[in-house]
Amino acid sequence: MPDDRPRTLLQAMARPGYLLSPWPLRAVLYGITTPLSALLWGIPLGLLGTPWLMLAAVIADDAHSGSPGEIVFLVVFGALLLATAGPLVAVPGAALERLRVRLTDDRPFPTPHREPRRPGLAAWFATRYTEGATWRGLAVLVVTALLFLPITGAVGLLLVLGATMAGTPLLVFVYGDNVSLGPWEVSTLPEAWLPSLAGAAVLAVGAYIGGLAVAAQVELVRFMQRDRGEEALRAELTEVTRSRARLVDAFEAERRRIERDLHDGAQQRLVALSMQLGLARLDLPEGSPTRERIAEAQEQAKRALVELRELVHGIHPQVLTDRGLVAALPELADRCAVPTEVVVELDERPPAHTEATAYFAVAEALANTAKHSGAGSARVNARMEARTLVVEVADDGRGGARVAEGGGLTGLADRAAVADGRILLSSPPGGPTLLRLELPCP
Amino acid sequence: MSVTPGDHPNGAVRTVLAEDGVLLREGLSGLLERFGFTVVEAVGDAAALEEAVRRHDPALVVTDIRMPPGFSDEGLRAAVRLRRERPGLAVVALSQYVEQSYAADLLDSGGGAGVGYLLKERVADVEEFAAQLGRVAAGGTVVDPEVVRQLLRRRRDPLERLSAREREVLAEIAEGHSNTAIALRMHLSEAAVGKHIGNILAKLDLPPDDGLNRRVMAVLAYLRSA
C-alpha cells in the first residue's frame, strides 16, 4: 500500500483535515523564521549592496544627479564587493534556506552544490565561486529579504487580527469591560461570541492564504536551488574528456617506455648474444658438428632480432621521436607495398601526441591500401592549415572502404576525437579513396 | 674470404668505441681487439665520445646512434660533428633499425669516404663485421644491405630501370666491395661486373668513373637524393 501521507504543504491543503493537521503549524514556523533569516542575511547583503543603494539614491535625487565617474565607481565597486564577498554570505544563507524548506516540505532536497574536485580550502573556493548554484543562492537571499518578508508580514497581520478577534471572550474576561475591536465595542461575554466566531473564520482563511504563500515561497526556493542535472553532467563530461586525453597521453608514454625497455634490454642482449655465438664459432674447427650447431643458434638469434626490430618499430618508431613526420612518413611509404609519394610541408613539428596520431593514421591507411584497395599508387600529404595539421592519404584503388566497428580506422577516429580532431573518409565504390585527418594544434 | 684471428689486415687501427650498453660495449671491445683493432677507449655516451676522440685522435670511431642522455640520435650527431672537425676520421655508426635520413646525414659528412652505417645486429657475423670496419678504416664506404634493400624497393625511376642483376651489383657496391670481390661473390667474371657497373652508372645518369670510391659515391649520391 503506497504511503499516501501528504509530503508538501499544497498536498496537505488539498485534504479535508488540513486545519487540524500539524501542517498549518509547520507553515507558521516557516513564517516566523522568515524575518529571522531575512534579518540574518539581509544585513550583510545590505552592506555589500551599499554602493548600489547609494547609486539608486543618487539617481533618484533630481537635484544632485551624480557625475559619470561617481556612477561608474559605484557600479564597479558594488559589483566587486558582491563578486568577492557575495558567496561567503550566499553559501551558508542558501543552506539555511534549504533547511527551512524542510519545515514545510518532506520531499528530498539535495544540495545543488558540486563536490570540490580535491580536498582543501582552495579547491572548495574554486568550485563554489564558479558554480551557478552559489549565485542562485545569493538570489534566494535577496528574494527572501525583499519579497518573502513583506508577504510574511501581511499574512502575519491577518493572522494576528484573526487571533485577536477569536480571543475576544478572553479579553473581555481579563480586562472586564469595553474591549474595542475596530467598529465594534464589546463589553459582555455573550456579545463577544460573534467577533470570536468571525476571528476563527479569519484564522481558518488565513491558514489557507498563509499556507499558499508559504508553499509558493518553498516552491520558488526549491526551483532556484534545484540540483541542475545537466550542469553536473556537463562538468562531468568535461572531466571525462580531460581524463580521456590523459589516458591517451599515458598510453602514448607507455608505448615509448616499452619501446625503450625493449631497446635497452632484450635487443641489446640478443645482439650481444649473437656476437658471442659468432666469436665462439670462430674458435671451433671448420666443419665440426658443434660449429654447425652454433651457426644454427646464431641464425635463430638473428631471426629473433629481426622480429624484435619489427615489433619495436611498430610500437613506437624512434625516427618519429627523433625527426618527426618529415622523416617518419617517407619511411612508412618505403615500407608500403604500393608505390607511395609523400609530401610533407611542415615548418615546425606539431606536439608529440599529434605527430603520433598522424603517423599511426597514415600507417593504418597505407596498410589498408596495400591490403584491400588494389591500388597502383598512393599519395600522402601532410601540411598545416590554420593551426590544424591536415594529413591526407589517397589511392587510386577500387574504393568501398568503410570505418568498420572495431576496425583500425575506428581506433584512429577515437584517437583523433580525443585531440578534438576528426577523420573523414571518402571511398565510393570504384574509387578513388581519400582519407583526411584533421588534428588541431593549439 | 674469411679473416681469421691473428691474421688481420687491420694493422692496429686505433679505435674509439661508444656504446651505452655495458654488455655490448665489452663484447664489441673484445671483438675489435680480436680482429687487430686497438680500442684506445670505450665510452658510454656521446659527450664522452667527443672527449675521447679529442684525447686519443683515433683513426676509427665505432658508435651507437642512440645513447644517453636523450636516447635519441646523440651518437650520430656527435659522429657528424667529429667528421666535420676531422675530415680523415673514419666513422661506423651502429643503429638498432634502418633509417634513411640517419644514413644520409652521415654520408653527407666528409664526402662519404670512410663512413659506415650498419644495423647493430650485423655484429653477429663477426668476420664480415670486422671486414666492414676494416674497409671503412681504409677510407671505404659501407651501407647496410637493409638500407639498400629499402632503397631498391622504392620502385621509382631511375632505379626502376635497373635489371635484377644490376640491382644485386648495386647492393654489393654499397656494401663496399671491390670489383674483384663482387665478381667472386656473384660468380661472375670481373669484366662482367665492370659492364654491369657501367650500365648502372649510365641508367642512374651518373658520369662513368673507374675509381671504387667514385662508384660508391655515385650510389650514395642517389641515396641522399632519394
Side-chain angles (χ1 to χ4, degrees), chain B residues 114-176:
Chain B
V115 209
Y117 176 84
L118 289 171
L119 273 180
K120 240 182 199 177
E121 59 204 56
R122 303 298 173 211
V123 304
D125 296 321
V126 285
E127 294 149 292
E128 176 61 22
F129 179 68
Q132 283 167 330
L133 294 193
R135 285 203 290 277
V136 172
T141 311
V142 173
V143 179
D144 196 277
E146 181 70 20
V147 175
V148 180
R149 203 169 61 78
Q150 282 193 12
L151 192 67
L152 293 175
R153 209 169 47 183
R154 288 193 177 188
R155 285 194 274 157
R156 265 184 229 157
D157 287 337
L159 279 186
E160 233 169 21
R161 291 183 234 144
L162 300 186
S163 72
R165 207 66 207 240
E166 286 158 1
R167 288 173 187 222
E168 281 176 52
V169 174
L170 182 68
E172 294 289 323
I173 295 172
E175 284 179 49

Side-chain angles (χ1 to χ4, degrees), chain B residues 34-214:
Chain B
R34 182 161 185 171
F35 282 92
F37 296 85
T38 306
V39 179
V40 290
E41 192 168 349
V43 297
D45 65 74
L49 166 66
E50 291 190 55
E51 251 173 62
V53 167
R54 285 183 194 121
R55 196 159 47 234
H56 301 291
D57 191 26
L60 174 67
V61 163
V62 178
T63 179
D64 187 8
I65 283 187
R66 179 169 163 173
M67 280 196 294
F71 293 97
S72 170
D73 51 1
E74 285 83 356
L76 179 79
R77 275 184 269 139
V80 170
R81 264 197 303 279
L82 288 170
R83 293 264 301 165
R84 218 175 290 137
E85 277 173 33
R86 301 156 186 266
L89 178 67
V91 169
V92 174
L94 301 178
S95 180
Q96 201 70 262
Y97 53 92
V98 160
E99 173 44 48
Q100 310 276 4
S101 63
Y102 294 160
D105 274 7
L106 199 59
L107 297 165
D108 269 329
S109 67
V115 209
Y117 176 84
L118 289 171
L119 273 180
K120 240 182 199 177
E121 59 204 56
R122 303 298 173 211
V123 304
D125 296 321
V126 285
E127 294 149 292
E128 176 61 22
F129 179 68
Q132 283 167 330
L133 294 193
R135 285 203 290 277
V136 172
T141 311
V142 173
V143 179
D144 196 277
E146 181 70 20
V147 175
V148 180
R149 203 169 61 78
Q150 282 193 12
L151 192 67
L152 293 175
R153 209 169 47 183
R154 288 193 177 188
R155 285 194 274 157
R156 265 184 229 157
D157 287 337
L159 279 186
E160 233 169 21
R161 291 183 234 144
L162 300 186
S163 72
R165 207 66 207 240
E166 286 158 1
R167 288 173 187 222
E168 281 176 52
V169 174
L170 182 68
E172 294 289 323
I173 295 172
E175 284 179 49
H177 294 294
S178 67
N179 279 18
T180 319
I182 296 174
L184 263 172
R185 289 163 63 95
M186 292 182 70
H187 309 292
L188 294 169
S189 70
E190 262 189 68
V193 171
K195 200 173 135 249
H196 282 308
I197 291 172
N199 287 343
I200 294 167
L201 295 177
K203 287 184 181 176
L204 296 183
D205 301 322
L206 297 164
D209 196 304
D210 285 342
L212 165 81
N213 204 41
R214 297 301 305 164

Side-chain angles (χ1 to χ4, degrees), chain A residues 31 34-35 147-160 217:
Chain A
T34 296
L147 186 65
F148 295 176
L149 190 62
I151 291 175
T152 305
V155 173
L157 273 179
L158 184 69
L159 292 179
V160 167
Q217 292 170 36

Side-chain angles (χ1 to χ4, degrees), chain B residues 3 7-14 32 35-38 130-131 133-135 137:
Chain B
V3 184
D7 165 32
H8 45 74
N10 297 319
V13 175
R14 288 163 51 77
L32 288 173
F35 282 92
F37 296 85
T38 306
L133 294 193
R135 285 203 290 277

